[in-house]
Amino acid sequence: MNQTIVIALLGLVVLAALFCAVAWMAIRSRNMQVWLGSYLRRKPRPAVNGPTHVMFCFVDHYEPAWGRVDLETQRQRVDRWYRDYPAMASRHRDADGRPPQHSFFYPEEEYLPEHLDKIAGLCADGYGEIEIHLHHDNDTADNFCTTISRFNELLHARHGALSRDRKTGQLRFGFIHGNWSLDNSRADGRWCGLNNELILLRELGCYADFTLPSAPSETQTRAINAIYYATDDPCHPKSHNTGTPVRVGGHASGDLMIVQGPLGLDWKRRRKLIMPRIENSDVRHSCPPTPERVDAWVRTGIHVEGRPEWIFIKIHTHGTQERDMDTLLGDPMHAMHDHLEKVYNDGSQYVLHYVTSREMYNIIKAAEAGMEGNPHRYRDFELAPPPGVTKWTNPLPAGQVREPEVVAGGGRSVE
């Protein structure tokens, strides 16, 4: 072999090594090494006979005080949602005649009665439900339990939120962890402090966690695109890194159900025309809910094992940031719902259901119990609606607004 060929081969080896090094640095910079293997090993959703039912859930890290703004700015943020969300949602309907549902995960540390009164008003009019969000740091188990228990009772008594367990009477709630740090999952231990947080949440009445996906944060789990039970190891953090998939004929195992949204790679939107962007189910001005993203969420096909004809799409946002509200309450959101209702609600190949986080959990539990057919029947399978929300029973065409029929014991609580 002559010297020229040897030099050329060495050059190719060096270039390949440099490329691998750069690619690995890019992967590490976005913490993709945590979950990329799971993504590459993913299996396609099994083929189904008949229509695919699409459960579409929009959860919101709803933080009126984001950025430590003054009270007047907080009021303007909440007032815009109170005014504009019904105007947007009333133009859309799913297969069951319901408008889009918004799950407001409200932070305990930002509680102000006047803000929750207005959000409860939206829920009383049939546009969503209130759940629990929490930012905390260096916390203790006793303080955490006291904080969550007090907030649960306050939300229920004052604002008609949260359901009681039919058997025990305990208040049940969905949870999103602030700063993504569920179960002390940051390497530096910040923004939590509790290695046994999953156990504590279960004991407090949490029915499921909706924090994930959190990529590109280091808090992202190895398990992706899944609905599973996580078992807590109180001696170590991030016990929800893996778990036992929820499956038809199975039963609750471990400490807490983890309901994830779609996570993957978007090769159509590349960084510097080379590296794919991370599709992490986040909706905001910088990543609007385009039809292409909706199609990707559907293709991900998150489902209960053994029930592939029911798929669950959970997307998320931080709804009170001014730069994003035109996206969340304006034309981009109309485009998303128009696409869902046109392409994924034809009645033969797809059937669309707008659900709250509680309803999504109920339908998951119905699938686990072996229920079949139209999942609309199982919106209240295990947990009944909170006392302050409207039960939508009869279909309405898009563009018409129903006079709210508030269930007993609740309603708008403005004083």
Side-chain angles (χ1 to χ4, degrees), residues 53 183 274 315 350 404:
H53 291 266
D183 202 46
I274 300 174
I315 63 174
Y350 291 99

Side-chain angles (χ1 to χ4, degrees), residues 85-87 89-102 120-129 353-356 358-359 376-377 379-380 385-386 388-407 412:
Y85 188 80
S90 65
R91 282 177 46 180
H92 301 279
R93 290 292 184 272
D94 67 5
D96 312 311
R98 300 182 82 222
Q101 296 294 296
H102 206 76
L122 289 177
C123 299
D125 288 346
Y127 293 110
E129 296 180 14
H353 309 277
Y354 291 130
V355 296
T356 64
R358 176 190 62 85
E359 291 171 331
H376 171 63
R377 296 180 293 170
R379 291 176 183 268
D380 305 328
V389 304
T390 296
K391 286 181 67 68
W392 294 74
T393 54
N394 299 315
L396 278 179
Q400 293 188 22
V401 181
R402 185 190 310 278
E403 289 297 323
E405 173 196 351
V406 181
V407 299
R412 191 175 301 184

Side-chain angles (χ1 to χ4, degrees), residues 60-65 74 78 103-117 119-120 129-135 148 151 155 159 174-176 320:
D60 193 340
H61 306 216
Y62 194 82
E63 304 166 6
Q74 296 178 40
V78 177
S103 295
F104 297 90
F105 283 75
Y106 196 96
E108 181 276 338
E109 72 279 1
E110 294 186 17
Y111 175 73
L112 279 178
E114 63 177 276
H115 297 341
L116 261 300
D117 284 341
I119 299 306
E129 296 180 14
I130 297 168
E131 301 289 354
I132 305 292
H133 189 31
L134 180 70
H135 301 83
I148 295 295
F151 195 42
L155 289 178
H159 305 288
F175 187 70
I176 288 178
T320 60

Side-chain angles (χ1 to χ4, degrees), residues 39 71 104 150 184 188 193 201 230 233 237 276 292 304 372 379:
Y39 178 74
L71 180 58
F104 297 90
R150 181 179 61 239
N184 223 16
D188 61 7
L201 285 166
D233 179 349
E292 293 78 15
V304 171
E372 300 177 340
R379 291 176 183 268

Side-chain angles (χ1 to χ4, degrees), residues 19-36:
F19 176 81
C20 291
V22 171
W24 180 245
M25 290 173 60
I27 289 170
R28 294 280 299 185
S29 70
R30 293 184 285 171
N31 296 298
M32 291 170 59
Q33 77 282 358
V34 173
W35 57 271
L36 188 58

Side-chain angles (χ1 to χ4, degrees), residues 207-225:
Y207 59 78
D209 177 84
F210 294 84
T211 303
L212 297 166
S214 62
S217 167
E218 63 182 328
T219 61
Q220 175 60 47
T221 56
R222 186 160 68 246
I224 65 170
N225 298 327

Side-chain angles (χ1 to χ4, degrees), residues 289-317:
T290 62
E292 293 78 15
R293 292 188 72 198
V294 173
D295 295 341
W297 299 335
V298 173
R299 285 195 305 270
T300 302
I302 297 174
H303 62 279
V304 171
E305 288 191 359
R307 186 67 71 240
E309 67 271 27
W310 295 2
I311 66 173
F312 299 87
I313 299 173
K314 177 186 68 69
I315 63 174
H316 67 271
T317 193

Side-chain angles (χ1 to χ4, degrees), residues 75-311:
R75 286 170 172 161
Q76 292 172 5
R77 292 171 170 177
V78 177
D79 285 347
R80 179 159 185 196
W81 274 85
Y82 188 70
R83 178 187 69 245
D84 290 358
Y85 188 80
M88 183 278 293
S90 65
R91 282 177 46 180
H92 301 279
R93 290 292 184 272
D94 67 5
D96 312 311
R98 300 182 82 222
Q101 296 294 296
H102 206 76
S103 295
F104 297 90
F105 283 75
Y106 196 96
E108 181 276 338
E109 72 279 1
E110 294 186 17
Y111 175 73
L112 279 178
E114 63 177 276
H115 297 341
L116 261 300
D117 284 341
K118 291 171 183 174
I119 299 306
L122 289 177
C123 299
D125 288 346
Y127 293 110
E129 296 180 14
I130 297 168
E131 301 289 354
I132 305 292
H133 189 31
L134 180 70
H135 301 83
H136 61 153
D137 191 17
N138 195 29
D139 209 349
T140 65
D142 287 344
N143 182 69
F144 179 75
C145 292
T146 299
T147 298
I148 295 295
S149 296
R150 181 179 61 239
F151 195 42
N152 284 353
E153 294 292 344
L154 180 61
L155 289 178
H156 185 74
R158 163 93 195 216
H159 305 288
L162 309 186
S163 304
R164 290 199 181 276
D165 190 282
R166 290 184 173 116
K167 296 179 180 178
T168 67
Q170 183 182 34
L171 287 174
R172 305 293 303 278
F173 63 97
F175 187 70
I176 288 178
H177 200 295
N179 300 306
W180 315 110
S181 302
L182 180 66
D183 202 46
N184 223 16
S185 54
R186 279 177 57 110
D188 61 7
R190 291 299 308 276
W191 310 120
C192 185
L194 302 172
N195 285 341
N196 63 335
E197 192 166 39
L198 305 185
I199 293 173
L200 297 177
L201 285 166
R202 171 178 55 79
E203 293 174 345
L204 288 163
C206 181
Y207 59 78
D209 177 84
F210 294 84
T211 303
L212 297 166
S214 62
S217 167
E218 63 182 328
T219 61
Q220 175 60 47
T221 56
R222 186 160 68 246
I224 65 170
N225 298 327
I227 302 168
Y228 61 99
Y229 292 110
T231 299
D232 208 341
D233 179 349
C235 297
H236 296 91
K238 204 177 185 180
S239 297
H240 57 299
N241 199 34
T242 59
T244 303
V246 179
R247 56 175 53 92
V248 173
H251 61 277
S253 61
D255 292 298
L256 192 63
M257 181 187 288
I258 308 296
V259 180
Q260 298 184 328
L263 175 63
L265 298 178
D266 185 349
W267 291 92
K268 293 183 178 180
R269 297 185 305 140
R270 303 186 189 188
R271 297 166 61 91
K272 299 180 180 179
L273 303 178
I274 300 174
M275 291 296 294
R277 293 183 180 273
I278 295 174
E279 169 53 73
N280 62 359
S281 314
D282 189 13
V283 174
R284 58 181 65 210
H285 173 72
S286 59
C287 43
T290 62
E292 293 78 15
R293 292 188 72 198
V294 173
D295 295 341
W297 299 335
V298 173
R299 285 195 305 270
T300 302
I302 297 174
H303 62 279
V304 171
E305 288 191 359
R307 186 67 71 240
E309 67 271 27
W310 295 2
I311 66 173

